[in-house]
Amino acid sequence: MCRVVDLQQAVLAKNDATAHLLRTHLDARGTTLVNLLSSPGSGKTALLEGELLRARERSVPVAALTADLATENDATRLARSRVPVKQVLTDGLCHLEAAMLAGHLDGWLPDDTRLLFVENVGNLVCPASYDLGETLRVVLASVTEGEDKPLKYPTAFGLAQLVVITKTDLAEAVEFDERAFRANVERVNPGVEVVLTSARRGQGTGVLLDRALAAAEGAALHTPVMARRPDAGHPHAHTDAGHTHAHTDAGHTHAHTEAAHMGHTHAPAADTVAAPAAPRS
């Protein structure tokens, strides 16, 4: 068992080193990466589409990379915003890693990109453990998921620099208790900002873009308590509520060890989804 823990730590340490290099590279070229995490069906694609449209209206050069186990559905939707969009298929892997991301950005990301939004695989366990070189980490949860989500996934919510509540137009129907949700977020991540959004009604449209631009301009960001701990050379310990999770997707179990990733070939990204031709404005 100790050897497995050591291997997990080695994988995460290797990923952190790659993430640091990627962050440095992106900073040097003036690009800020925003990592979006949530469970499946939270509405992050709909929210992101609205933010990309708002960015075009404001002439902010943005791009989006979206990751899924299968299909190009999300990239097709995001391409309607007429900004550069790329789909990454992870071949059953339940999260993105820094090396994978760097490989997919090479030769694709436009030179003038100010903000790069990365829509991670829908999962609140695996992606929480992997730094992608982001400047801003955002965790989303819909009102339909319940008020206790932050307590069930303390690593994901505990490392967030911004928490977004989505689908607020359904809050009354599902009897969502906003006060309880905010209290639970505060328990795992004291002081983090929580914002309300509804892609359907347009509530909160532009807030994510504003926060991302502020981060790009060097505004002070929230530092989660979990990331301040002395032992947080690995703040992203791959556990939740004290339990180590094995991840199975599409019939494939993914052990988070060096042996699992060394030599593993990930499926190449799907072709970049071409946005309809239009001047960027």
Side-chain angles (χ1 to χ4, degrees), residues 66-281:
T66 182
D68 271 309
L69 278 67
T71 83
E72 297 180 25
N73 294 349
D74 288 349
T76 300
R77 290 175 60 188
L78 294 177
R80 296 184 303 199
S81 65
R82 296 181 178 178
V83 307
V85 172
K86 187 173 188 178
Q87 178 77 56
V88 172
L89 301 180
T90 64
D91 190 27
L93 198 65
C94 58
H95 61 279
L96 283 173
E97 297 176 9
M100 294 167 59
L101 179 60
H104 291 305
L105 296 182
D106 187 30
W108 167 73
L109 189 65
D111 291 338
D112 67 340
T113 304
R114 182 63 169 146
L115 299 175
L116 170 63
F117 291 95
V118 174
E119 184 180 8
N120 219 313
V121 180
N123 187 333
L124 281 175
V125 181
C126 310
S129 301
Y130 288 84
D131 182 4
L132 297 182
E134 69 263 22
T135 297
L136 179 64
R137 175 177 287 213
V138 183
V139 176
L140 304 88
S142 70
V143 298
T144 60
E145 297 176 69
E147 298 82 4
D148 61 348
K149 205 74 171 184
L151 303 182
K152 289 183 175 181
Y153 300 94
T155 301
F157 284 90
L159 288 170
Q161 293 164 296
L162 176 67
V163 174
V164 177
I165 302 174
T166 62
K167 303 185 181 181
T168 56
D169 52 291
L170 301 176
E172 184 176 355
V174 299
E175 299 182 347
F176 177 70
D177 188 337
E178 180 187 338
R179 180 177 296 181
F181 182 90
R182 287 179 178 273
N184 290 335
V185 170
E186 186 70 14
R187 284 179 61 182
V188 300
N189 193 347
V192 69
E193 182 182 12
V194 179
V195 299
L196 302 173
T197 65
S198 168
R200 177 175 294 178
R201 293 181 178 173
Q203 179 186 12
T205 301
V207 172
L208 180 57
L209 178 62
D210 288 342
R211 300 299 184 273
L213 284 172
E217 293 162 6
L221 298 174
H222 171 70
T223 303
V225 171
M226 187 177 293
R228 300 177 206 150
R229 293 175 182 168
D231 60 347
H234 267 313
H236 310 304
H238 198 55
T239 59
D240 280 293
H243 302 289
T244 299
H245 298 277
H247 303 287
T248 303
D249 291 293
H252 303 288
T253 300
H254 302 284
H256 293 281
T257 64
E258 190 73 35
H261 294 288
M262 287 180 63
H264 177 72
T265 301
H266 299 292
D271 290 339
T272 299
V273 178
R280 296 183 66 180
S281 58

